[in-house]
Amino acid sequence: MSKVKELIKELCPNGVEYKKLSDVVPVNRGSRLTKSQLSDNGLYEVYHGSKDVILGKYDKYNTIGDTVIVVNTGGIGGVKYLKNNFWCSDGSFNIGHSEELNNKYLYHFLSQYENYFLSQKRVGGVPTIDKSVIEKVRIPIPPIEVQEEIVRILDKFGELEAELEAELEARQSQYEFWRGKLCGDNKKEYKKVRFRDIATITRGGNFQKKDYVEEGYPCIHYGQIYTYFGPYTDKVISYLSKEVYDKQKKAHTNDVIMAVTSENYDDVCKSVAWVGEEDIAVSGHSAIISSNQNGKFLSYYFNSSVFQKEKLKYARGVKVIEFSPEKLNDIEIALPPIEVQNKIVEVLDKFDTICKDFEIGLPAEKELRQKQYEYYRDMLLTFADSGEIILQTDRQTDRQTDRQTDRQTAIIRLLQYVFGFVKVKLEDVVSIKNGKDYKHLSDGNYPVYGTGGIMTYVDKYCYDKPSVLIPRKGSLNKIYYVEEPFWNVDTIFYTEINEDLIVPKFLYYYLQNKHLENLNTAGGVPSLTQGVLNLVNILLPTLEEQEKIVSILDRFDKLTNNISEGLPAEIELRRKQYEYYRNKLLNFEVIYNESDRC
């Protein structure tokens, strides 16, 4: 951001000139191609009425690369930058080139206008926008150096979003893999049963979309199953009057509703488990599956690739694909016990949330990146007409933007969230550091740790955060946990701990249980190396579970070792009682004198 400010201050201190787009570059309408001219083997992509979908391919191009298009029909108002040569059909405008305008800068600027372009469409006949709508847009024209710096910054957001898209797609693939593994494609030999033996299958009712009312009784239409709902829901988006509702077939809590009609094979048999408390009306072209199994588990199974392959044996049709609900009775499923179903559902629910919920996980991160891009785009492209340049930054947004995402941490957190724990190596959660000599330091208040514990106190520290100290030589079983600033010598390692993944005190207790003395690599004085320690395996539960474990072990430690309470206090009391009676019983002179007085 500072470079943009410097460039503006240097190159255009009196403000930036605005011009109508048509005064800078020509706006051209593309040329029509017929479908017969298109080919899958063509050399150049053809863009028509969408910024995201190509119409096809053609052997020639009519527009060179490094060009911006604005869609004028279909996906009206969409703005896209195309790096390579292409054919611009008459469903889009292509914008020419000018020496005073960086076309990538033009793309970022016009992307702000997508909603405006859409609002200007003509609705008589085929909806479209006139060329004049685009030509009249006023665009700031700073010096090319400023435009290039703005492009550099804004392109970074596109790169980040592309990475997140790829990661989100990978997570979706993980989700589908585990859904298949957990819902049927697994190695466990669960008993196979037919659906007729575990479920009652009925057809839906007969209401139509015209029967909807704004408020009333809940219902699900079969088309909503593959266009709106996920694998389960406790809410509906449509309602019926009581008169219509009373005549319908109902789904109850834990029932699964399956769409048995669709225009394609992918969507037919898509299912949703009803987990709401009310009974809901179900439309025709649906099956209601009632059982004493976990309804969400069955819904996940019906949406898995395992069942999707099985349904193809029974689905029929060309333009409309039908699946007879009665055929479901004969399909077999390897059915795990209900407690296993519940655990599988718990895992898949978390995957589903991570893949789709915009409040957490990558969708939230992607949404944040998009908002950051829009924030900076609007800020960078807002120039004052004269004098003062409006470039005020939001410190919080800057911090978010500058934050580098730790991909490994994100993956570990993901697996902790989904499975409850994850197996990692010590090097995944801590960085092991060597100690240093302390003899050049003066006396002070900071403890110096060696293998045997505190050696002395000095006036400087080498680390001031919670750490676990691990001996490098000597008594390898003596591990220390420290929370205050300290110095350590070269006979003992200290650890920099990733507290986003592991609670420092949990690490301390866990390593005590690993018996590190068994990892000795030397023949003489027992020794540990960073290489060996880094490969120590840790079963890492969630942070919340780690806190609970630490709390329990702290209480045990207190009862066992704290001299003011628990067993140490009890032992101390018994010791004093023993000493009292020992002195009493062995002091014969006192006994004799007391006896004599009697």
Side-chain angles (χ1 to χ4, degrees):
M1 294 306 300
S2 59
K3 187 173 180 180
V4 174
K5 290 181 181 180
E6 291 170 3
L7 287 172
I8 290 173
K9 186 176 180 180
E10 176 187 352
L11 301 175
C12 44
N14 295 322
V16 174
E17 183 182 4
Y18 277 77
K19 295 182 180 181
K20 281 200 311 182
L21 188 61
S22 59
D23 291 338
V24 184
V25 288
V27 177
N28 309 301
R29 188 163 189 170
S31 302
R32 177 172 299 186
L33 290 175
T34 63
K35 287 188 177 180
S36 62
Q37 293 175 281
L38 303 179
S39 168
D40 292 337
N41 299 320
L43 297 176
Y44 302 101
E45 295 178 338
V46 178
Y47 283 87
H48 179 63
S50 171
K51 69 173 184 176
D52 298 318
V53 180
I54 64 170
L55 184 64
K57 291 189 175 181
Y58 189 50
D59 289 333
K60 300 178 182 179
Y61 67 89
N62 65 355
T63 310
I64 62 173
D66 184 36
T67 293
V68 178
I69 64 170
V70 179
V71 179
N72 67 19
T73 187
I76 293 174
V79 178
K80 187 176 184 69
Y81 171 82
L82 293 162
K83 182 179 180 180
N84 301 315
N85 298 345
F86 65 99
W87 186 279
C88 182
S89 185
D90 61 344
S92 293
F93 297 109
N94 64 77
I95 300 175
H97 294 215
S98 167
E99 291 185 358
E100 61 179 325
L101 191 62
N102 180 303
N103 278 3
K104 201 67 179 293
Y105 168 83
L106 173 64
Y107 160 73
H108 288 299
F109 181 82
L110 290 183
S111 63
Q112 302 173 100
Y113 283 81
E114 287 189 329
N115 290 334
Y116 169 74
F117 291 150
L118 178 60
S119 72
Q120 299 301 303
K121 68 181 179 182
R122 288 189 286 106
V123 294
V126 178
T128 186
I129 55 173
D130 294 327
K131 183 167 68 169
S132 61
V133 172
I134 303 168
E135 290 177 328
K136 291 178 182 178
V137 171
R138 294 181 72 249
I139 179 170
I141 311 292
I144 285 292
E145 294 90 340
V146 176
Q147 295 181 39
E148 290 173 347
E149 180 61 15
I150 289 172
V151 167
R152 186 190 67 80
I153 294 171
L154 294 180
D155 278 356
K156 286 292 183 183
F157 287 98
E159 293 170 12
L160 288 170
E161 191 169 347
E163 288 180 8
L164 291 169
E165 287 277 13
E167 182 69 16
L168 189 56
E169 185 176 340
R171 286 194 184 184
Q172 186 66 34
S173 297
Q174 283 183 324
Y175 166 61
E176 291 171 0
F177 170 81
W178 284 107
R179 184 177 62 192
K181 276 289 183 189
L182 296 171
C183 291
D185 182 20
N186 53 57
K187 297 179 180 179
K188 292 193 176 184
E189 293 298 326
Y190 295 126
K191 179 182 178 182
K192 286 191 174 182
V193 297
R194 295 184 186 276
F195 275 98
R196 69 169 69 254
D197 298 325
I198 63 168
T200 301
I201 302 164
T202 57
R203 289 178 177 265
N206 58 5
F207 70 83
Q208 300 176 22
K209 293 180 181 179
K210 64 181 179 63
D211 295 316
Y212 292 164
V213 295
E214 288 191 10
E215 295 182 1
Y217 293 81
C219 66
I220 284 182
H221 187 273
Y222 79 96
Q224 296 168 346
I225 297 174
Y226 45 74
T227 59
Y228 182 82
F229 294 112
Y232 60 91
T233 186
D234 61 354
K235 295 180 177 62
V236 300
I237 59 172
S238 302
Y239 300 89
L240 302 172
S241 66
K242 187 176 188 310
E243 180 182 3
V244 175
Y245 174 84
D246 287 343
K247 298 176 182 178
Q248 304 306 315
K249 299 290 184 63
K250 310 292 193 309
H252 312 295
T253 300
N254 197 54
D255 284 352
V256 179
I257 307 164
M258 176 185 287
V260 296
T261 299
S262 176
E263 295 180 354
N264 59 72
Y265 279 93
D266 288 339
D267 287 336
V268 72
C269 293
K270 285 289 180 69
S271 303
V272 57
W274 174 245
V275 295
E277 296 181 357
E278 298 179 83
D279 291 349
I280 59 169
V282 178
S283 76
H285 301 292
S286 301
I288 303 172
I289 304 163
S290 304
S291 73
N292 59 359
Q293 306 300 311
N294 187 311
K296 288 169 71 173
F297 172 82
L298 294 181
S299 179
Y300 277 123
Y301 170 76
F302 291 136
N303 290 308
S304 71
S305 58
V306 178
F307 178 76
Q308 295 299 307
K309 292 176 183 177
E310 187 71 14
K311 76 180 181 184
L312 296 179
K313 300 176 184 177
Y314 305 97
R316 298 289 181 269
V318 180
K319 291 185 177 180
V320 177
I321 313 302
E322 300 277 356
F323 177 89
S324 174
E326 288 73 21
K327 297 291 184 182
L328 190 60
N329 282 314
D330 297 322
I331 293 178
E332 288 187 332
I333 177 176
L335 192 69
I338 192 70
E339 60 272 14
V340 177
Q341 293 179 37
N342 295 340
K343 181 60 179 175
I344 290 171
V345 164
E346 181 183 344
V347 170
L348 291 177
D349 280 356
K350 290 175 180 177
F351 257 121
D352 187 64
T353 300
I354 288 169
C355 289
K356 297 178 181 178
D357 194 326
F358 271 79
E359 296 300 320
I360 66 169
L362 279 178
E365 180 75 6
K366 183 174 178 294
E367 180 80 356
L368 172 63
R369 293 298 180 194
Q370 180 63 28
K371 288 179 179 178
Q372 288 175 342
Y373 166 75
E374 292 172 359
Y375 170 84
Y376 277 104
R377 180 196 64 194
D378 295 347
M379 185 184 68
L380 289 166
L381 299 178
T382 301
F383 297 98
D385 287 315
S386 62
E388 185 180 357
I389 303 300
I390 302 173
L391 268 176
Q392 297 177 351
T393 61
D394 181 309
R395 291 186 179 180
Q396 183 176 359
T397 307
D398 277 340
R399 285 197 298 269
Q400 291 170 338
T401 305
D402 294 338
R403 177 175 55 86
Q404 297 298 315
T405 302
D406 185 334
R407 185 171 296 274
Q408 180 168 288
T409 296
I411 291 171
I412 293 174
R413 290 290 297 272
L414 168 67
L415 295 175
Q416 283 177 315
Y417 178 80
V418 171
F419 294 106
F421 69 93
V422 61
K423 186 177 182 179
V424 299
K425 297 191 182 304
L426 186 61
E427 65 183 352
D428 296 327
V429 293
V430 307
S431 178
I432 300 174
K433 302 292 184 178
N434 290 317
K436 302 175 185 178
D437 183 48
Y438 70 93
K439 293 179 182 177
H440 62 289
L441 302 176
S442 303
D443 292 341
N445 297 319
Y446 301 113
V448 177
Y449 281 89
T451 303
I454 296 176
M455 302 168 60
T456 185
Y457 290 84
V458 294
D459 62 340
K460 292 184 180 179
Y461 59 84
C462 64
Y463 196 60
D464 63 347
K465 296 180 177 63
S467 182
V468 176
L469 309 185
I470 305 171
R472 186 177 71 85
K473 286 185 176 294
S475 302
L476 304 184
N477 62 335
K478 288 189 176 181
I479 300 172
Y480 303 95
Y481 173 71
V482 291
E483 291 184 335
E484 302 299 328
F486 64 90
W487 189 281
N488 63 301
V489 298
D490 64 352
T491 60
I492 193 166
F493 298 114
Y494 77 92
T495 52
E496 293 180 355
I497 300 170
N498 183 349
E499 295 188 45
D500 288 334
L501 294 176
I502 189 166
V503 175
K505 196 71 172 289
F506 174 83
L507 175 64
Y508 166 69
Y509 283 128
Y510 196 93
L511 291 180
Q512 281 187 319
N513 195 49
K514 293 296 286 187
H515 299 290
L516 298 182
E517 63 271 18
N518 296 332
L519 302 179
N520 175 33
T521 59
V525 178
S527 299
L528 283 174
T529 66
Q530 287 194 28
V532 169
L533 286 172
N534 279 329
L535 299 180
V536 170
N537 290 320
I538 298 178
L539 285 178
L540 198 63
T542 63
L543 288 173
E544 293 78 7
E545 189 63 26
Q546 291 178 46
E547 293 282 8
K548 290 179 184 177
I549 292 171
V550 167
S551 177
I552 292 170
L553 292 177
D554 276 352
R555 289 199 294 270
F556 270 114
D557 182 68
K558 204 170 187 180
L559 287 171
T560 306
N561 299 313
N562 193 310
I563 62 171
S564 63
E565 57 183 277
L567 285 176
E570 183 72 15
I571 292 169
E572 179 68 9
L573 175 61
R574 296 302 179 204
R575 184 181 64 80
K576 289 180 178 179
Q577 287 179 325
Y578 162 76
E579 290 175 353
Y580 171 81
Y581 283 105
R582 179 194 63 193
N583 294 338
K584 192 81 171 173
L585 292 170
L586 296 178
N587 191 335
F588 295 103
E589 182 178 352
V590 172
I591 293 174
Y592 175 80
N593 290 335
E594 288 180 351
S595 175
D596 189 53
R597 284 197 297 271
C598 292

